[in-house]
Amino acid sequence: MTNEKPKKELDAWPESKQELLALILSFHRLQKMHAKQYTLSLAIFGVPTRHTELIAVIEAEDQLAAATELLSQKLDFWS
């Protein structure tokens, strides 16, 4: 028997920077609540998001500006 936790991924397609920020904050709460049960990951527009990217938004002085930058980075992936 293995101790590996099941993996769950949220694939987000936010329509605005405000929606992305709300998703990131909600995702962070879910990670904390279910850390012992699941390995959670977040993909934005199908592009995986690193934990450090999420923490940068959460800990930013201006979270909305940080979410805007992350949104731009994920959109640029496809261009």
Side-chain angles (χ1 to χ4, degrees):
M1 182 176 223
T2 178
N3 289 336
E4 189 172 316
K5 298 181 280 185
K7 295 179 181 179
K8 304 264 183 189
E9 180 175 280
L10 171 64
D11 197 7
W13 296 82
E15 295 185 14
S16 68
K17 57 190 175 189
Q18 293 87 354
E19 186 177 338
L20 178 59
L21 178 57
L23 283 166
I24 289 172
L25 295 174
S26 177
F27 179 78
H28 185 64
R29 284 190 298 275
L30 283 172
Q31 273 189 315
K32 285 181 173 181
M33 286 176 27
H34 300 290
K36 294 181 180 182
Q37 297 166 306
Y38 303 106
T39 299
L40 300 175
S41 62
L42 175 65
I44 300 170
F45 303 121
V47 182
T49 304
R50 296 184 316 269
H51 181 72
T52 54
E53 291 174 311
L54 299 174
I55 294 301
V57 172
I58 293 163
E59 293 180 349
E61 188 172 316
D62 184 345
Q63 290 180 323
L64 190 56
T68 301
E69 176 61 28
L70 183 58
L71 185 65
S72 294
Q73 290 173 12
K74 297 305 176 183
L75 286 171
D76 284 348
F77 176 85
W78 296 108
S79 56

